[in-house]
Structures are given as C-alpha cells and as structure tokens.
Amino acid sequence: MCIRDRPDASGRVRTAANCLLSFQVTSATPGTGTDPLLVQQWHLNNTGQSGGTSGEDLRAILAWPTSRGAGVRIAVTDDGIDITHPDLAPNVIANESYNYLLANSVWPLPCTNQDIHGTSVAGIAVARDGNGVGGAGVAPQASMVAYNALSANDDASLADAMTRGKNNQIWHNSWGSPDEGRPEPAPRIWEQAIDEGLRSARSGLSLI
C-alpha cells in the first residue's frame, strides 16, 4: 500500500499504511448559496423542527451579525478529521494540521468508514456558512487546524496535541477519559501538557 504525506499526481492522499481510505485534494473555489441543512440544525436555531422546544438552542445565529468567528483559530483534537471536506476545507489553515499516524504528515484524515466522529464535531464547530454545502458551524468563519491524536490512542499524542500550535486560541476536545463514569486522577503527562499549553498560548485561549 502506498503511503503518502502529500497528494500524488492524481491529487489523492492516504496517510498511514493501515488506512483503508484515500481522499481527493482539490483547490476548487468555495461555492456560494444557502446551506441546505441549516434549517435542520436545531442547536443553532430551534424552531421545534425536530420535535423539541422552540428557542432552546445556542443562540448562535443571533450572534452572527456581530461575529462569525473570523480571526479566531480553533484546534480540533479527535480521531480522523476530513480536512478535505468542502464544508471544512475553506476554513482549514494549510499545512498546520498534524497526523499522529504518520510522522511529519499534515493530513489527519479518517482511515475507515467508522472513523467519523472527528469530522462531525469539526463541522459543528466550524463548517463554512453560505457555501451551498451541508450546514454551518457555530463559528462558521473561524480558522481551523486538526489533530487526530485519538487515532494514535496513547497519552503522549494527546498531550502533544494540547501544546501543538502556539497560535491556537481554542482547543476543541469532544471526548473524555476511558473511566466508565468514575473519576480518576489525570495522568501526569496530561497535567503537564495542559499547564504548558495554558502558559504558552496567546490570550483568549479556551478549552471546550
């Protein structure tokens, strides 16, 4: 199996020896138009469209006239993240993501069809608005870098992700420890990474 940390001549990239998927990398101009799934995103604007209570939402759309996240840099740490997806690619900072399955690779892409969580949570955070594709993120014009540290499944990779990218302002970590619901002490390497990240990051940092 061919291993590449950059697109081949056909524009496709695969990022680890055991990955079953490859991805087409294009430089297509982002489209324009209404996002077709936006009306279904009750967490952004709940009108009762999914049987829920109207108004119980994040009030995100109400905030968009003031800010849609432009100028903010979000790091999404999860499993594989499809940074080639047309609803994410316009917001991805080129060459600053990191793949923990292949050294020095900037393509933290999914490896199997079950490797879907990272792309989903990235979309909830920063899916591009007004491009006629999918829905929109809470901060649809924020910039994003992606780290697939969960795919490596070790504490060292997770700790590294918390200190990687000194210009990150928000770290998006939609996961928890394998503690089966019982509180456990954090590994020392994790505590040190959080301390270092908080000290070295710029003002305005948030962990969510």
Side-chain angles (χ1 to χ4, degrees):
M1 179 178 292
C2 183
I3 307 173
R4 299 182 183 275
D5 63 357
R6 59 183 61 84
D8 62 19
S10 68
R12 299 193 72 81
V13 61
R14 180 186 287 114
T15 54
N18 61 342
C19 286
L20 304 179
L21 305 177
S22 64
F23 295 80
Q24 186 73 36
V25 179
T26 67
S27 58
T29 302
T32 59
T34 301
D35 302 309
L37 300 181
L38 181 61
V39 295
Q40 299 179 33
Q41 293 183 273
W42 63 266
H43 60 287
L44 298 181
N45 183 32
N46 192 344
T47 61
Q49 65 271 56
S50 298
T53 302
S54 179
E56 290 189 353
D57 53 51
L58 296 175
R59 310 291 198 274
I61 292 178
L62 295 177
W64 285 355
T66 300
S67 175
R68 300 191 180 204
V72 176
R73 175 172 165 141
I74 299 175
V76 178
T77 301
D78 211 282
D79 56 18
I81 301 167
D82 183 5
I83 60 174
T84 72
H85 191 288
D87 230 7
L88 296 178
N91 292 346
V92 173
I93 301 173
N95 301 318
E96 295 200 28
S97 296
Y98 192 78
N99 174 19
Y100 286 88
L101 298 181
L102 184 65
N104 301 316
S105 171
V106 297
W107 300 95
L109 300 166
C111 283
T112 73
N113 288 326
Q114 288 71 48
D115 199 6
I116 59 175
H117 187 261
T119 303
S120 296
V121 299
I124 290 171
V126 298
R128 188 72 175 191
D129 62 333
N131 63 350
V133 177
V138 174
Q141 295 181 16
S143 298
M144 185 188 84
V145 296
Y147 307 138
N148 64 340
L150 286 186
S151 296
N153 196 31
D154 60 72
D155 289 338
S157 296
L158 291 173
D160 180 82
M162 295 302 100
T163 59
R164 182 174 291 275
K166 302 305 181 183
N167 294 323
N168 297 333
Q169 295 162 295
I170 296 173
W171 271 260
H172 186 291
N173 308 308
S174 180
W175 39 271
S177 61
D179 55 17
E180 298 181 354
R182 297 187 298 270
E184 293 183 1
R188 182 57 185 155
I189 189 175
W190 175 259
E191 293 180 347
Q192 291 172 335
I194 293 297
D195 289 343
E196 180 182 341
L198 290 171
R199 285 196 304 269
S200 62
R202 293 180 174 179
S203 61
L205 173 146
S206 298
L207 292 170
I208 60 174

